[in-house]
């Protein structure tokens, strides 16, 4: 005879500090294990006391359901509280259809070609800088291109979208993005998983918390508390200066975004308030990046050339930062209660329309709706999944936002300008219209 738990009982236990998640009408107690969750403990806190069936389906392969989750099951949801929205039913049916069509299967030759491309770019950049320093510009171009393209591979790896085995994909990802890019895959993964669950929520989504430079919602003037950074996002004097100008400074600031990623990566690595997976490996590889990078740059003829090399290679990653922000910065930032996983993804995300021959440039980020719905889908299958997702959205009267790259940029700039204008009014000094006698 199974143990039944009502919603009221679950809420009471959550209030007392337990972490209880509902998945397919079963209740799981993750209180003690939460800090070891590969996707980060904060993800579980956002889902605490809620039905996380669709999110769990999206992020976990079958073997996790079969071998890991039974250990944490403490009972079943009471029959009176069981209900599955039609959107969720259709979302799960679409998941089965994607499996049936083989879209979760990886084409390993595709990723082998990607790795060959990375080797060519790194060897070319290193050779030109060391042996033909007069061609430093082309060396820096190749290195910046490597960083741009490698980010897509790391994105796939962090979602276990290559081999679908977490520790293998993470090792690949760390080796690439940490040793050859100087960044922490763990930092990005912790940040990004939260983003997937609370997309575009001003208080919770770190991917839209960019004060004092950007605000995608007027609510940021309220000095919101960030559940991710565990601090108040002060709308201070610096923010009052930069945010009203954000539609002018957008591309300029993104050009220097990679320097901020270095800082975030090292801050994550040495954090003590959460478990850092593969800490030693990431430290060794990130340090290794600065060793070979410094050695390579030492062959350039002057400090001025080194400065220009570093500047140009980093500025080239502007395209990547635009691609990352494009899919969400212009979308809805309201918080909707009792919204399904699929409804949130479609409301807060947009696709970028592009011809097939430009898929290499966008690296899968042009199919962010499909990716947010099914993050484990290998990148090379996202285009095939798009028409199925469009049909799903149409069937459930849900929006499907998609724009061409240039139009999408204009749309985001328009939203940034609109928010900037609203905030300018909100923070403007209030003047009295009452004349003194």
């Amino acid at each position: 005879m199974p143990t039944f738990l009502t919603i009221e009982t679950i809420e009471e236990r959550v209030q007392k500090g337990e972490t209880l998640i509902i998945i397919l009408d079963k209740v799981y107690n993750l209180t003690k294990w939460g800090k070891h969750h590969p996707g980060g403990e904060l993800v579980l806190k956002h889902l605490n006391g809620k039905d996380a069936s669709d999110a769990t389906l999206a992020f976990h392969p079958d073997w996790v359901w079969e071998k890991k989750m039974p250990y944490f099951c403490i009972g079943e949801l009471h029959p009176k509280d069981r209900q599955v929205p039609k959107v969720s039913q259709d979302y799960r049916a679409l998941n089965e259809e994607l499996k049936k069509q083989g879209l979760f299967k990886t084409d390993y030759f595709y990723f082998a070609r990607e790795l060959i491309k990375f080797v060519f770019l790194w060897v070319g950049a290193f050779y030109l800088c060391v042996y033909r320093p007069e061609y430093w510009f082309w060396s820096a171009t190749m290195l910046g291109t490597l960083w741009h393209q490698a980010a897509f591979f790391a994105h796939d790896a962090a979602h276990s979208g290559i081999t679908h085995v977490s520790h293998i994909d993470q090792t690949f990802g760390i080796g690439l993005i940490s040793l050859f890019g100087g960044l922490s895959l763990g930092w990005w993964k912790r940040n990004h998983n939260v983003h997937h669950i609370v997309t575009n929520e001003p208080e919770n989504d770190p991917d839209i918390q960019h004060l004092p430079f950007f605000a995608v919602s007027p609510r940021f003037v309220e000095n919101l508390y960030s559940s991710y950074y565990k601090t108040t996002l002060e709308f201070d004097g610096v923010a009052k200066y930069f945010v009203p100008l954000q539609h002018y400074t957008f591309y300029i600031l993104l050009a220097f975004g990679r320097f901020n990623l270095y800082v975030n990566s090292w801050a994550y690595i040495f954090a003590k308030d959460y478990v850092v997976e593969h800490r030693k490996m990431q430290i060794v590889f990130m340090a290794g990046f600065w060793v070979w990078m410094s050695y390579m740059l030492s062959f350039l003829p002057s400090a001025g050339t080194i400065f220009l090399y570093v500047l140009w290679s980093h500025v080239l990653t502007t395209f990547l930062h635009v691609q990352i922000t494009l899919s969400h910065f212009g979308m809805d930032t309201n918080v909707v209660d009792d919204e399904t996983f699929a409804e949130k993804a479609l409301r807060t995300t947009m696709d970028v329309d592009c011809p097939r021959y430009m898929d290499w440039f966008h690296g899968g980020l042009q199919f962010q709706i499909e990716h947010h719905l099914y993050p484990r889908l290998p990148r090379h299958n996202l285009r095939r999944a798009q028409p199925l997702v469009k049909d799903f959205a149409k069937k459930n009267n849900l929006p499907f936002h998609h724009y061409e790259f240039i139009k999408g940029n204009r749309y985001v700039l328009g939203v940034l300008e609109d928010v900037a204008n609203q905030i300018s009014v909100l923070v403007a000094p209030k003047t009295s219209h009452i004349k003194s006698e």
Side-chain angles (χ1 to χ4, degrees):
M1 184 74 178
T3 300
F4 291 113
L5 291 87
T6 65
I7 289 293
E8 292 77 14
T9 300
I10 293 172
E11 290 177 348
E12 289 175 3
R13 293 178 62 169
V14 166
Q15 289 295 323
K16 294 178 180 178
E18 293 186 77
T19 301
L20 304 180
I21 308 293
I22 304 167
I23 303 172
L24 297 181
D25 296 330
K26 292 185 177 180
V27 183
Y28 297 83
N29 190 333
L30 304 177
T31 307
K32 295 181 179 180
W33 181 77
K35 63 182 180 180
H36 301 289
H37 180 229
E41 186 176 15
L42 188 55
V43 168
L44 300 179
K45 291 185 180 299
H46 284 303
L47 296 171
N48 197 8
K50 301 177 182 178
D51 189 316
S53 301
D54 294 343
T56 306
L57 179 72
F59 282 95
H60 299 86
D62 292 341
W63 69 268
V64 174
W65 294 72
E66 297 166 0
K67 297 181 180 181
K68 295 289 186 181
M69 289 170 52
Y71 291 106
F72 303 101
C73 185
I74 60 170
E76 297 184 8
L77 185 64
H78 196 282
K80 76 177 182 66
D81 293 320
R82 297 180 185 181
Q83 54 180 344
V84 182
K86 180 180 180 301
V87 174
S88 289
Q89 295 177 28
D90 290 342
Y91 171 78
R92 298 169 196 178
L94 178 55
N95 182 72
E96 294 304 312
E97 179 61 25
L98 294 173
K99 285 184 179 179
K100 181 180 177 181
Q101 294 194 23
L103 297 191
F104 283 97
K105 294 181 179 178
T106 299
D107 178 359
Y108 290 105
F109 288 106
Y110 174 88
F111 287 105
R113 292 194 298 270
E114 290 292 291
L115 290 174
I116 292 172
K117 177 173 66 178
F118 301 151
V119 171
F120 168 77
L121 289 169
W122 186 81
V123 171
F126 191 88
Y127 174 82
L128 289 177
C129 191
V130 173
Y131 297 102
R132 302 297 297 272
E134 66 270 23
Y135 294 117
W136 67 265
F137 177 83
W138 298 111
S139 171
T141 299
M142 295 183 78
L143 188 59
T145 303
L146 169 63
W147 291 338
H148 175 256
Q149 293 290 301
F152 304 141
F153 189 100
H155 184 216
D156 300 326
H159 280 295
S160 300
I162 302 175
T163 68
H164 303 295
V165 179
S166 179
H167 69 274
I168 295 177
D169 282 359
Q170 283 201 60
T171 301
F172 269 119
I174 293 171
L176 181 61
I177 205 68
S178 298
L179 182 58
F180 294 97
L183 304 179
S184 166
L185 185 73
W187 164 78
W188 178 86
K189 182 180 177 182
R190 180 176 184 268
N191 178 293
H192 195 65
N193 284 334
V194 172
H195 159 72
H196 267 265
I197 297 300
V198 291
T199 311
N200 273 23
E201 293 184 8
E203 296 95 337
N204 301 316
D205 184 358
D207 275 14
I208 63 168
Q209 294 176 346
H210 298 296
L211 288 180
F213 301 110
F214 301 126
V216 297
S217 166
R219 291 196 56 217
F220 281 102
V221 301
E222 302 171 7
N223 297 324
L224 301 177
Y225 180 82
S226 169
S227 62
Y228 182 84
Y229 293 108
K230 292 182 172 58
T231 188
T232 299
L233 303 174
E234 297 284 353
F235 199 85
D236 55 17
V238 180
K240 290 177 181 179
Y241 176 81
F242 277 104
V243 171
L245 302 172
Q246 63 184 0
H247 46 296
Y248 298 116
T249 62
F250 181 61
Y251 297 112
I252 297 172
L253 291 172
L254 290 186
F256 299 94
R258 190 172 184 88
F259 296 104
N260 182 55
L261 300 186
Y262 294 137
V263 175
N264 287 336
S265 293
W266 283 106
Y268 166 81
I269 287 297
F270 291 110
K272 297 181 179 180
D273 55 344
Y274 44 78
V275 175
V276 176
E277 291 187 298
H278 309 292
R279 189 195 301 264
K280 292 181 180 179
M281 183 192 301
Q282 292 188 80
I283 290 175
V284 170
F285 283 3
M286 287 165 62
F289 164 80
W290 291 106
V291 170
W292 71 255
M293 183 75 169
S294 299
Y295 174 77
M296 183 182 73
L297 293 176
S298 71
F299 286 85
L300 294 178
S302 67
T305 306
I306 292 174
F307 173 79
L308 291 174
Y309 186 105
V310 172
L311 180 64
W312 176 240
S313 60
H314 284 72
V315 165
L316 278 177
T317 62
T318 304
F319 294 110
L320 173 64
H321 300 142
V322 170
Q323 290 165 321
I324 291 172
T325 57
L326 192 61
S327 298
H328 300 291
F329 266 34
M331 296 291 100
D332 190 8
T333 57
N334 290 310
V335 179
V336 179
D337 294 330
D338 300 323
E339 186 177 40
T340 67
F341 179 77
E343 287 171 319
K344 176 183 283 289
L346 285 158
R347 178 176 60 84
T348 60
T349 312
M350 83 173 186
D351 275 3
V352 176
D353 294 332
C354 74
R356 185 181 294 273
Y357 63 79
M358 287 298 292
D359 283 353
W360 72 271
F361 177 74
H362 292 285
L365 299 187
Q366 73 274 41
F367 299 115
Q368 278 289 282
I369 293 176
E370 292 73 23
H371 169 67
H372 264 252
L373 288 171
Y374 302 101
R376 292 184 300 105
L377 275 179
R379 185 204 319 173
H380 52 77
N381 288 333
L382 291 172
R383 183 175 287 276
R384 291 174 57 191
Q386 188 184 57
L388 298 175
V389 171
K390 284 184 176 180
D391 289 343
F392 162 77
K394 184 178 180 179
K395 181 180 179 182
N396 288 278
N397 296 315
L398 298 173
F400 189 94
H401 305 284
H402 59 107
Y403 302 95
E404 293 179 350
F405 184 68
I406 300 300
K407 187 176 180 180
N409 274 264
R410 290 173 179 167
Y411 184 81
V412 168
L413 288 175
V415 170
L416 290 176
E417 182 176 11
D418 183 55
V419 173
N421 291 337
Q422 293 180 57
I423 287 178
S424 294
V425 173
L426 292 172
V427 300
K430 300 295 186 294
T431 57
S432 174
H433 296 285
I434 302 175
K435 295 182 179 180
S436 58
E437 297 182 3

